[in-house]
Every structure is written in structure tokens, then in C-alpha cells.
Amino acid sequence: MKKRLLLFSLVLTGLFGLSAFTLRDDPFTALLKKLEEFAKKYPQEKVHLHLDRPYYAVGDDIWFKAYVVDSRTNMPSTISNILYVELISEQNIVVRQAVLPMHEGISWGDFKLADGLAEGNYRIRAYTQWMRNAGPDFFFDKTIKIVNTAPDRVVTKTTYQSGQEAQNIINFADQSGKPFTGNTVNYQVVLENGISTNAKATTDANGNISIPIVPGKTDVAKMAKVIATLTLANKQKVTKVISIRTSPASVDVQFLPEGGSLVQDLPNRIGIKAVNAEGRGEDVSGTIIDGDGTEITTFKTTYLGMGSFSLNPMLGKTYKAKVQFKNGTNRLIDLPAATASGYILNINNTDSAKMLVKVMRSEGLVAKGELRLIAQQNGNVCLETKVAAKILVNLSVPKQTLPSGVVTFTLFTADGVPVAERIAFIQNPATQLRVEAPGLKPSYAKRADMNLGLSVAGMDTKGSFSVAVTNESIITPDLDNESNILTSLLLSSELKGYIEKPNHYFLDNSAKTRAELENLMLTQGWRKIDWAALAKDQLPTIPFPAEKNLKISGILTDRKGVPTVDGKVSIFSSTNGLFSNAVQTDAQGKFLFDEMDYNDSTRFTLQGSNAKKQKSLKLKLDIVPDQVVTANRNIGDFETDINGALKDYIDNGESYFEDLGKRGLLSRTIMLKQIEVKSTSTKKKVPEYSANLNGPGSADAVVTEDELSTSVTLSQALAKVMGIYVSNGSVYSIQAKFATMGSAQPMSIILDGLALSRDYNIDLINAGDVESIEVLRSANNLVIYGVSGGSGVIIITTKRGVRKRVPVTVSEIDSKITYTPKGYQVARQFYVPKHEPGTEQQLDLRPLVYWNPSLTAGADGKLNLSFSNSDQIGTYRIVVEGVDDKGNLARQVFKYQVN
């Protein structure tokens, strides 16, 4: 099905021609050869995660299937065998991480959303170590919303009010919409850079408080977190964490010439991109005027702040755009200066069957001879031709001869110098699999057994697929903004920056949608090849080799740092059964335990020795630094009013979790009744990247790096803190112990934003690697943590230098170390209940009806699904995604009614 043609014929239009060209020994041929070698030596990987649903509640599972493909072919990747998937908070802290083994680019896993997780806008990020060489711009990175269904009776809604006194309005109401009036709100505003301010307000007759945007501070951050504590009439305190905007309501407008630059005396196409302070496209209109104030043309964006217009710049003239915004204001913006001579590469991609390409050059450049035009996708050349030495050349390219996805067109001089570049998006139906459900009926009963056969049309090889079934009445998809295997692997993974509503461009193939997609290609950055570096054989450095398996490696030296040759390093673990092995060090003193397979939290002991059995040896492990968490590029997907936006889902979640609790299937901590306690917190210096939701240093006690320096273990350091005690590596709050008659659980441990199990032994963490410990045990510090804070919380922040995480589980004692590396996530299976007829059953309110990430189909294309409907009526939605061994992608949605 998939066609990868190196050369194809072009249909000429107009008076000018071009001819296919045979490779010869010239600079341009040499450049193409280097491109081919580069693509083979430095292939790129792309990741898509099929998520079971678009948003979640605390207590849910995030189920995901990972598809990792080779960017050259979209075939499942064999480059890497390990994938990293992370859940990242609004504070850009990794709160969960899963390390997954992959087989031929396929894996799956899940995140359990623990009770203590604060609600907010989170990100799911996925990458391989090999992908880190190209940078995080091309990771899978999606914003998801997580709500808390705990019934605190308070719903908040945030609106942004522009004008001379710009401010955020936060409304507090109960679940029926009745406002809380005259209530005291103590709040803290925490900016992205850690700067925080405290204030107090009283809700007005509409339940509102106002938080102003202070002039002069709007450049500090675009987003902020408000930690607001509302005091109810019965003196109960309810804390909400709310996202607000901190930027003025300005709109950034860019004018981007097609091909890279404006050229005088030639018709130029110019793209427009207008983005507001919320990161979303905003439509604008206006006129183009020259330096004399004469109106030349008009323009208007057509979708999400994007559009285009034509301009023929004249010699000696400068141009401005008079932009009119939706609030009625105007602004003058300079257009890019036009060069006296140059080249233009114009593409018209609005036809469904063919692409029209127009190459133009200034009259004075015609004498320089023929040009070269290539089209390539991640180094795979799919068009290559000479362009005649004319001012204008028109050509037509049949789309069925091009691969689906982003294709880059580059115009070169005869000696291989790039002079214009442009991307275009190709939708080739021949590269997409068709999934059919011949036996699906329009409607079924509640609890009906669904034994459904699917058929993947046109397959002649095996493929891997995943299926999610949800009830649209509970989980309503945002069709335009959905991320799926097509948007991820064909579009988002090739472009830089935020792409608003990516699925909009895949919902239909109308002329209007194709024109809107063209404007996106005109205005978005993309994955570029550095042609100048390629020509000079300047190859990229590769600090992160592709991972094939887990390994533990390092070097054995004496105390002076001299490598120990032919030494012995032994490894031992009893975490999951007994394991031991030993290897010899090489001529550089290095050792390697390769092809290992261990689960997360496995603890190893390593011992170094030599023939003389010297004790003055030292082991040093090779530690790959963690990937830095960059700012969220998908700021336009942020929802400031999560409660209101997902109210139906919250209501259903409350019923669902209440039912699980009655059946004993829900593990939730009982939160102590909140009492008003005067703050005894101390504000010692702690890192700005502390994961403390109250703000760094807002705690009942803080143990600093200096105080930790006198302690060998964390137990020893915490023994000095009032109000807690440590037993066998677990920390307990004395207050909670008394309040529960001695049955309190250990305090929750949060390490660099990651919630550890309550029975985690804190002495596994090397005290020398810790920068601060914050102890939270009073009600006013614990309220933000919800039910998981009932027994208290310990926040441990490790030393990161420039925010680089230290391997905290490594402790050196002469030639012996203990090490707890990040291992594979233990796979869990989605539970599908069975409804036995004739027996009394509990109400089935599952928001996720079915999830199966491990479906495979052979050459016959057959898939079988087996599940049962829940007790909720509505429109059920079946989403199927997958890829076959040839790189053909599948995405299909089916619906049926449950009555």
C-alpha cells in the first residue's frame, strides 16, 4: 500500500518546462548522497500514546498504548527497546514516571492517579533516550485535565477581565451553582518562576473575588497557581488550587514570507499567525500600507488566527500592516524587508489530487542556470528534479506518489546551496488502513455481552492495535482537539511549537480544511535539516545512544582515581528473588552488567575487589542524567475552570467511587476532620523547585542541607524534628497517631514530586544527596493534599544543580554501594467485570467500559473484542488505533447506543 518513489514524472503547466534529471557527479549529487547516508546513520523516532480517554479524575487509571516508529517509514521502530513515559504537573515536576520495555516499537502501561494528586492541567510526555538527541520539541507531549471528585461542595470558575485594570475573577459556588457570599478567602499566588505573594479577600454578592494583574510584572510569567482557602459558614476550610493568567490580553502577530524571504518585483505569499495571551489563535484583519500610507491590499485570517495574502513589493518601498483586533484596537506592524533579488518557492496544496508548485526568481538570477528542487521526508527523497533557467516554472505533482505527512520542499542552486524551503502536508489514503465492524448493531442493552469482530481491510502483514470504549454521555470528546495516531505521527511529531486543534485537519478533506491546513504549514516551525552542516560533513554529537536493554555500568578505581584493571565487580539483589553475578573490569577499569531485566524499586548491592583484595577501592556508576522538564508548549490547552468544564464527569465520578467504596474495591485514606490551627510553619530556605504544593518552605518544619550534613541517614536527621517519630524507616505524625488511637498510617513521602509507597524506607535515600526535607503535619498545611495528607506529608527535595536530578539511591561506602535504579513498570491488566445473570449485582458505573492495548492481527486483518456494557445508557464510542509492519496507520471510530 505504501509507495516510496525516489523519482516520479511531473506534469507541466504553463509555458515553462523542467526535466527529470539523472544523478551525476556534481556538488548537488554529492549533497544528496550525504543526505542518504545521514538519514541511515541518524534515523529519528516518533512516539504516539493512545490514551484511553481525554481527561481523568483522581482515583482513575491512565491507560496508554505506545507506538514508536521510524520517522523515515512510519514502520515500528527497532532503534530503541526502552520508552520513558512521564506525568508532569503544572509546576513542571515529574510526578510519575514509567520505564517500559518495547518490542518492535510497541509497549503499554498505566498510571494510577493516587488520592494525593492535586487537580489541574497535567502533561503526558513520552520519549526514548535516542530521541533526546533531537531535543524535546519532538517528544510526545500532551496536556490532560485531572479533576478531584472528592465532594468538598465548592466549585470554582475563573474568568479573565481585560482593560486598564486587568484582573482575574474567581467565582466560588456550591455544586448547585449557589454562590458563597461574604466568605473569607486566604490565597497565595505562585508564579511559574517560584515567586509568591499572599493576600486575603472576601467574596462579593456573586461569590467573586478579584486578583489584579500588577502593571510591570506581566512579563514575569504567563501562568500562575492560586492556592485559595475558602472559609465556610461552619468554619470548615476548603482549599482549591486554581490556574490563572498573568499576561495582559495582547495578541502576538507574525508575518511569515513563504519560502523564507520577501523578494522585490515578484508576487510573494505571506502567512499570518496571530496568537493571544492564552496561547490560542485569534482572528485578526487589516490592511497593508506602504511608506507613504497608501493602502496596497487587505488581509483577514480565516481559522485560529492563521491566514495568508499576496504582495508584490516594489523597489525602494517599505510596508506595514495595520492590524485590527476583535476588541476594536489597531496596531501597526512592520513587514519583513524585501531583498532586491532572490527566489520564491510557491506551493498550492488545496487540490485533493495534485499539488501545484511554482518556482520564481528575479530576472538577474536567470543567468545563473538551472536550479534543483527536491522533496524529502526525514531524509527520504521522494522528488528530485532540475528546474529550467526561467523566471517562472510551473509544475504539478500527483499526491498519490508522495508519502502521507509533512514533506519538505527545498530549492537549491546548481552547486547545492539552499535558497528557499517550504513544507506541505500530504494526505494519501493509500497509506492508511481501513478498519470495519461488519457485525456492529445500532443499539444494545445495558450489560449486554459484546463479542465484536473487526476487520482491517487491505492488510497483508501483521499489525498491532489498541481499543478504548467509553460512554460519550460521560466522557465527551473534543473532536477538533483530539490527539490520535494520525495527528501525532503525521503532524505534531514533525512540527515545532503548539498546534491548536490538530484533529480538525483530519476530520474531513474538504477544500476549506485543506486551505486551513495550508495556512498551518505556512506559519509553523518544523523539523529541519541543517544543509550547511551536512555539506561540510559536520555531523551531530550523540550524547544519548539508543537503549536496547537495561544495564548497570561504571568504573572501579583506587582512592586516587586510578582505574583498577582486571578487577572484579559483583552484583547482588534479593528484592524479587535472589540474583547475583560478577564481571571483570577492562583495561580502563570499566565494568558492565548488560541485558538486565528488573522491575522498578529493585535494590542492588555492588562490591568491587581486585586480586590483592584491597579495601581502598571505589565504585562509580554511570548515571544518565534525567531529561529536563521544559515549559509546557501546549499552553493553549490549559483549562482554568476544570470543575465547570468537567462537571458531568465529576458527578459521575463521585457516584462511581462511592460505589467502589461500598464494595471494598477503593483504597482511600480517611482524612482527619479539619481543625483551625495557628500556623507554626517556618520559612527556611528551600529549593524553588520543591514539590510542596503550599509553596517552597511553607511547612511545619524544614531540615536544610546544612542540618542534613551532620546526619548519616534521613532517620537520624528527622529524629530532631518535633511532632514526628521514625520507626524502621517509616515516618509517623504523633498528632495523627493519637487522633486515630495508634492506628495512623505512616506519613506520605513525596520525593522530587513523586509519591512513594507509604512503607518506603527513607534510609534508602542517601542523606548527602538531599537538599531539604519539609515536614507537613498541621491541618492548614495538609488541606491541599486532600485525603492522602491525613497522616502527614514529608517532602524530600534532592540536589539538582541546574535542576538536574542526582541518583538519590546511590550511597558509596568504600568499594561497596547500594543502588536502586529506575526499572521496568510492572504491567497491569484492565479489569473487565463479568455480569452473571440471575445474581444480584452492584451498579456498574464504569466511565471506561473497555481497554485493550494488546490486540494483534495477521494478514487476514481479523480482530476480536470481548467486553460487556455498563449500567449507563448513552452513546458508546469505540476507538481503534494501530499500525502494521509496513508503517500503514489505522484510526477508526465506531458508535452504538445502549438503552
Side-chain angles (χ1 to χ4, degrees), residues 239-317:
T239 296
K240 289 289 188 177
V241 182
I242 307 161
S243 295
I244 63 171
R245 305 289 176 186
T246 62
S247 294
S250 62
V251 178
D252 176 65
V253 183
Q254 298 181 63
F255 293 90
L256 305 159
E258 182 179 27
S261 60
L262 290 180
V263 181
Q264 291 178 0
D265 296 322
L266 289 176
N268 294 254
R269 187 181 181 190
I270 302 174
I272 316 167
K273 190 175 186 70
V275 179
N276 62 25
E278 296 183 341
R280 302 187 181 106
E282 184 169 305
D283 284 330
V284 297
S285 60
T287 58
I288 302 298
I289 59 176
D290 64 16
D292 301 323
T294 303
E295 181 178 316
I296 305 301
T297 188
T298 61
F299 63 85
K300 183 178 182 180
T301 60
T302 56
Y303 182 68
L304 300 179
M306 294 178 288
S308 64
F309 64 93
S310 294
L311 178 69
N312 194 333
M314 305 302 292
L315 178 65
K317 292 281 189 179

Side-chain angles (χ1 to χ4, degrees), residues 161-329:
Q161 180 176 298
S162 60
Q164 190 171 3
E165 296 182 358
Q167 53 190 341
N168 291 278
I169 309 297
I170 301 177
N171 176 263
F172 295 85
D174 64 18
Q175 291 173 315
S176 67
K178 181 180 179 181
F180 288 101
T181 62
N183 295 75
T184 299
V185 179
N186 293 282
Y187 65 88
Q188 180 184 41
V189 180
V190 184
L191 301 179
E192 286 180 331
N193 57 9
I195 297 175
S196 62
T197 57
N198 295 289
K200 185 177 181 179
T202 301
T203 57
D204 64 17
N206 297 314
N208 296 331
I209 67 169
S210 300
I211 300 179
I213 293 178
V214 181
K217 293 187 177 181
T218 54
D219 293 334
V220 174
K222 290 186 177 181
M223 291 295 300
K225 179 82 72 179
V226 173
I227 303 171
T229 301
L230 176 75
T231 302
L232 302 180
N234 61 0
K235 303 302 182 184
Q236 180 185 355
K237 296 181 183 296
V238 175
T239 296
K240 289 289 188 177
V241 182
I242 307 161
S243 295
I244 63 171
R245 305 289 176 186
T246 62
S247 294
S250 62
V251 178
D252 176 65
V253 183
Q254 298 181 63
F255 293 90
L256 305 159
E258 182 179 27
S261 60
L262 290 180
V263 181
Q264 291 178 0
D265 296 322
L266 289 176
N268 294 254
R269 187 181 181 190
I270 302 174
I272 316 167
K273 190 175 186 70
V275 179
N276 62 25
E278 296 183 341
R280 302 187 181 106
E282 184 169 305
D283 284 330
V284 297
S285 60
T287 58
I288 302 298
I289 59 176
D290 64 16
D292 301 323
T294 303
E295 181 178 316
I296 305 301
T297 188
T298 61
F299 63 85
K300 183 178 182 180
T301 60
T302 56
Y303 182 68
L304 300 179
M306 294 178 288
S308 64
F309 64 93
S310 294
L311 178 69
N312 194 333
M314 305 302 292
L315 178 65
K317 292 281 189 179
T318 59
Y319 299 89
K320 294 179 183 290
K322 185 177 181 181
V323 184
Q324 183 170 350
F325 302 97
K326 67 178 185 180
N327 62 3
T329 61

